[in-house]
Amino acid sequence: MNSKYIDAMEKTTLIGPFKQIIPMTEVPLRGAINDSQLSIITNGGIVLKDEHIIAIGPFEALKETHTTAKIHQLKGNHVCVPGFVDAHTHICFGGSRANDYAMRNAGKSYLEIAKAGGGIWDTVTQTRKATQEQLTKSTIKLANRHLKNGTTTLEVKSGYGLTVNEELKMLRAIKEANKEAIADLIPTCLAAHMLPKDFKGSEEAYLNEMSTQLFPILKKEQLTNRVDAFIEQSAFSAKQIHPYFEKAKEMGFDITVHADQFTAGGSKVAVAFKAISADHLEASTEKEVQLLANSTTIATALPGATIGLGCAFTPARSLLDAGGALAIASDHNPGSAPMGDLLTQACILGTFQKLSNAEVLAGITYRAAAALNLKDRGILKEGYLADLAVFHSDNYQDILYNQGNLKPCMMWKKGILAYDKHK
Ligand code: NIG
Ligand code: FE
């Protein structure tokens, strides 16, 4: 069948011409990347059909081969990159922690505030007061805000419920939000965020209750296939998490870990359990860097938490130089990372850790998709999702050069023009 007939039947759209398309196709999953390794399609076009890209290449050539495709003609300078994947967020929550932020800047530490009853527990209290519908609504609102800043896929964690029913409320709210939000929401169970202050029993008893009572319902209602735990002195120890992760693995959940945020230790558990990702890593030393770099676990830096808490950045440069895979996520949450602007944060991490443009872009596209085990996005290629972030520029370097201040002018999600600043 010739392509003219296919286009007429299947209602394809050709978008372009773009001054530059950066498809991220030549990028390896692991290790350092030079900008010279990025392929650039100049005066390019992308042909979409339904949710997917069916062709990508020089615009004029695509016009000749897809003669009946509807043309979405671009005027002026445009650069296209894959829609961003934010692989770690907590955007489902109730209330605000503006007072925590003020107290931290007045000299109290995150852990001191937590010990005094603020911190995560404060958000748990406020999230429990919210209805499922309220949480659905606020999650959609934040997800749609992220979309306008370039993000077409967002991971969203529970972890502010901390009882079987309250965790279910959060994960059901995220599932409902996913039906309406433009971006795809990838849910994760973070029931192991901290021992709730009102639980009558030990850490071990709490984790056992969650794994025996909550996990089966997560499977039954298909609420998530990902389980996360916060391994930290203020949360759960490696030893306490072992049986919890064993149970999760046995049941087929993918594992991810809040690791090495204030003290090193979590990354060792992540590697032992072949976790898909170990996130935070601000306190990782050379030992943890080597461990992660020689594993299959993706290291996810969360510069939003560094900026929110005023602490060290994840040793991203060392992780890449050691051969690790580095994703970059916003950690958007009401406590440690209230800003929620992935592009700005990734740019700042780049300046402090000396990351190439290619490494930063890979960290929020292709490598971030891998951190969520998603194989259908993060690069622009035939057969992949038509998730596109488009910027007004003739040079892709401008995206990072503007440090987050250059916003997308157009966002396409699964082949649909979801946001258009021109209109
Ligand atoms: O990723 N580190 C633990 N959890 C979150 C913070 C959650 C909160 O402070 O509400 C994080 O930074
Ligand atoms: Fe987090």
Side-chain angles (χ1 to χ4, degrees), residues 97 99-105 107-120:
R97 300 243 295 281
N99 194 48
D100 278 18
Y101 185 76
M103 281 201 288
R104 281 203 303 275
N105 291 350
K108 288 255 179 294
S109 77
Y110 183 70
L111 294 177
E112 278 168 354
I113 293 168
K115 274 199 190 117
I120 295 169

Short mmCIF file of all heavy atoms in Angstrom, two decimals, residues 97 99-105 107-120:
data_model
loop_
_atom_site.label_atom_id
_atom_site.label_comp_id
_atom_site.label_asym_id
_atom_site.label_seq_id
_atom_site.Cartn_x
_atom_site.Cartn_y
_atom_site.Cartn_z
N ARG A 97 3.02 23.50 53.26
CA ARG A 97 4.06 23.50 54.31
C ARG A 97 4.89 24.77 54.23
O ARG A 97 6.10 24.76 54.47
CB ARG A 97 4.92 22.25 54.18
CG ARG A 97 4.15 20.93 54.31
CD ARG A 97 4.57 20.10 55.48
NE ARG A 97 5.92 19.63 55.39
CZ ARG A 97 6.32 18.59 54.65
NH1 ARG A 97 5.43 17.90 53.94
NH2 ARG A 97 7.58 18.22 54.63
N ASN A 99 5.01 27.08 56.21
CA ASN A 99 5.61 27.39 57.51
C ASN A 99 6.91 26.60 57.75
O ASN A 99 7.86 27.12 58.32
CB ASN A 99 4.59 27.15 58.63
CG ASN A 99 5.05 27.78 59.93
OD1 ASN A 99 5.46 28.95 59.93
ND2 ASN A 99 5.01 27.03 61.01
N ASP A 100 6.94 25.34 57.27
CA ASP A 100 8.18 24.54 57.36
C ASP A 100 9.30 25.27 56.62
O ASP A 100 10.45 25.33 57.09
CB ASP A 100 8.02 23.19 56.65
CG ASP A 100 7.31 22.14 57.50
OD1 ASP A 100 6.65 22.53 58.48
OD2 ASP A 100 7.42 20.95 57.15
N TYR A 101 8.96 25.76 55.45
CA TYR A 101 9.97 26.43 54.60
C TYR A 101 10.53 27.65 55.34
O TYR A 101 11.74 27.86 55.41
CB TYR A 101 9.32 26.82 53.27
CG TYR A 101 10.26 27.42 52.25
CD1 TYR A 101 11.14 26.60 51.54
CD2 TYR A 101 10.29 28.79 52.00
CE1 TYR A 101 12.01 27.13 50.60
CE2 TYR A 101 11.16 29.34 51.07
CZ TYR A 101 12.02 28.50 50.37
OH TYR A 101 12.89 29.03 49.45
N ALA A 102 9.60 28.43 55.91
CA ALA A 102 10.03 29.62 56.67
C ALA A 102 10.90 29.21 57.86
O ALA A 102 11.93 29.83 58.12
CB ALA A 102 8.80 30.40 57.13
N MET A 103 10.51 28.15 58.55
CA MET A 103 11.29 27.71 59.72
C MET A 103 12.68 27.21 59.31
O MET A 103 13.66 27.47 59.99
CB MET A 103 10.55 26.59 60.46
CG MET A 103 9.42 27.10 61.33
SD MET A 103 8.97 25.90 62.61
CE MET A 103 8.18 24.65 61.67
N ARG A 104 12.73 26.50 58.18
CA ARG A 104 14.04 26.01 57.71
C ARG A 104 14.97 27.18 57.41
O ARG A 104 16.14 27.18 57.78
CB ARG A 104 13.88 25.14 56.46
CG ARG A 104 13.42 23.73 56.73
CD ARG A 104 13.80 22.80 55.60
NE ARG A 104 13.31 23.19 54.29
CZ ARG A 104 12.11 22.90 53.81
NH1 ARG A 104 11.26 22.20 54.53
NH2 ARG A 104 11.76 23.29 52.60
N ASN A 105 14.40 28.18 56.74
CA ASN A 105 15.24 29.31 56.37
C ASN A 105 15.61 30.16 57.59
O ASN A 105 16.58 30.91 57.57
CB ASN A 105 14.57 30.15 55.28
CG ASN A 105 14.54 29.39 53.96
OD1 ASN A 105 15.17 28.34 53.84
ND2 ASN A 105 13.82 29.90 52.99
N GLY A 107 16.57 28.69 60.23
CA GLY A 107 17.64 27.96 60.91
C GLY A 107 17.32 26.56 61.39
O GLY A 107 18.21 25.82 61.79
N LYS A 108 16.03 26.16 61.38
CA LYS A 108 15.71 24.79 61.83
C LYS A 108 15.97 23.80 60.68
O LYS A 108 15.76 24.13 59.52
CB LYS A 108 14.21 24.72 62.20
CG LYS A 108 13.85 25.44 63.48
CD LYS A 108 13.60 24.44 64.62
CE LYS A 108 13.26 25.11 65.93
NZ LYS A 108 14.36 25.91 66.52
N SER A 109 16.42 22.59 61.04
CA SER A 109 16.69 21.62 59.98
C SER A 109 15.43 20.84 59.64
O SER A 109 14.47 20.79 60.44
CB SER A 109 17.80 20.66 60.40
OG SER A 109 17.27 19.70 61.29
N TYR A 110 15.43 20.20 58.46
CA TYR A 110 14.30 19.38 58.00
C TYR A 110 13.98 18.32 59.05
O TYR A 110 12.82 18.10 59.39
CB TYR A 110 14.71 18.73 56.67
CG TYR A 110 13.67 17.90 55.97
CD1 TYR A 110 12.54 18.47 55.39
CD2 TYR A 110 13.82 16.51 55.86
CE1 TYR A 110 11.60 17.70 54.71
CE2 TYR A 110 12.90 15.73 55.19
CZ TYR A 110 11.79 16.32 54.62
OH TYR A 110 10.88 15.55 53.94
N LEU A 111 15.02 17.70 59.59
CA LEU A 111 14.80 16.61 60.55
C LEU A 111 14.33 17.14 61.90
O LEU A 111 13.50 16.52 62.56
CB LEU A 111 16.06 15.76 60.68
CG LEU A 111 16.44 14.99 59.40
CD1 LEU A 111 17.74 14.23 59.56
CD2 LEU A 111 15.32 14.05 58.95
N GLU A 112 14.81 18.32 62.29
CA GLU A 112 14.31 18.93 63.55
C GLU A 112 12.82 19.25 63.43
O GLU A 112 12.05 19.00 64.36
CB GLU A 112 15.07 20.25 63.83
CG GLU A 112 16.42 20.06 64.50
CD GLU A 112 17.25 21.35 64.50
OE1 GLU A 112 16.85 22.37 63.90
OE2 GLU A 112 18.32 21.31 65.12
N ILE A 113 12.44 19.79 62.29
CA ILE A 113 11.02 20.14 62.08
C ILE A 113 10.17 18.87 62.09
O ILE A 113 9.10 18.82 62.69
CB ILE A 113 10.85 20.92 60.75
CG1 ILE A 113 11.55 22.29 60.86
CG2 ILE A 113 9.38 21.10 60.39
CD1 ILE A 113 11.71 23.03 59.55
N ALA A 114 10.70 17.81 61.47
CA ALA A 114 9.98 16.53 61.44
C ALA A 114 9.80 16.01 62.87
O ALA A 114 8.72 15.56 63.25
CB ALA A 114 10.74 15.53 60.59
N LYS A 115 10.86 16.09 63.67
CA LYS A 115 10.80 15.57 65.05
C LYS A 115 9.77 16.34 65.88
O LYS A 115 9.13 15.80 66.76
CB LYS A 115 12.18 15.67 65.70
CG LYS A 115 13.02 14.45 65.39
CD LYS A 115 14.19 14.29 66.37
CE LYS A 115 15.13 13.22 65.87
NZ LYS A 115 16.47 13.72 65.55
N ALA A 116 9.62 17.64 65.56
CA ALA A 116 8.68 18.47 66.32
C ALA A 116 7.24 18.31 65.82
O ALA A 116 6.35 19.05 66.23
CB ALA A 116 9.13 19.93 66.23
N GLY A 117 7.02 17.37 64.91
CA GLY A 117 5.64 17.09 64.46
C GLY A 117 5.29 17.74 63.13
O GLY A 117 4.19 17.57 62.62
N GLY A 118 6.23 18.50 62.56
CA GLY A 118 5.99 19.07 61.22
C GLY A 118 6.43 18.06 60.18
O GLY A 118 6.30 16.86 60.38
N GLY A 119 6.94 18.56 59.08
CA GLY A 119 7.47 17.67 58.05
C GLY A 119 6.41 16.79 57.42
O GLY A 119 5.24 17.18 57.30
N ILE A 120 6.81 15.58 57.04
CA ILE A 120 5.92 14.67 56.32
C ILE A 120 4.62 14.45 57.10
O ILE A 120 3.53 14.43 56.54
CB ILE A 120 6.64 13.32 56.06
CG1 ILE A 120 7.84 13.53 55.11
CG2 ILE A 120 5.69 12.29 55.47
CD1 ILE A 120 8.78 12.34 55.00
#
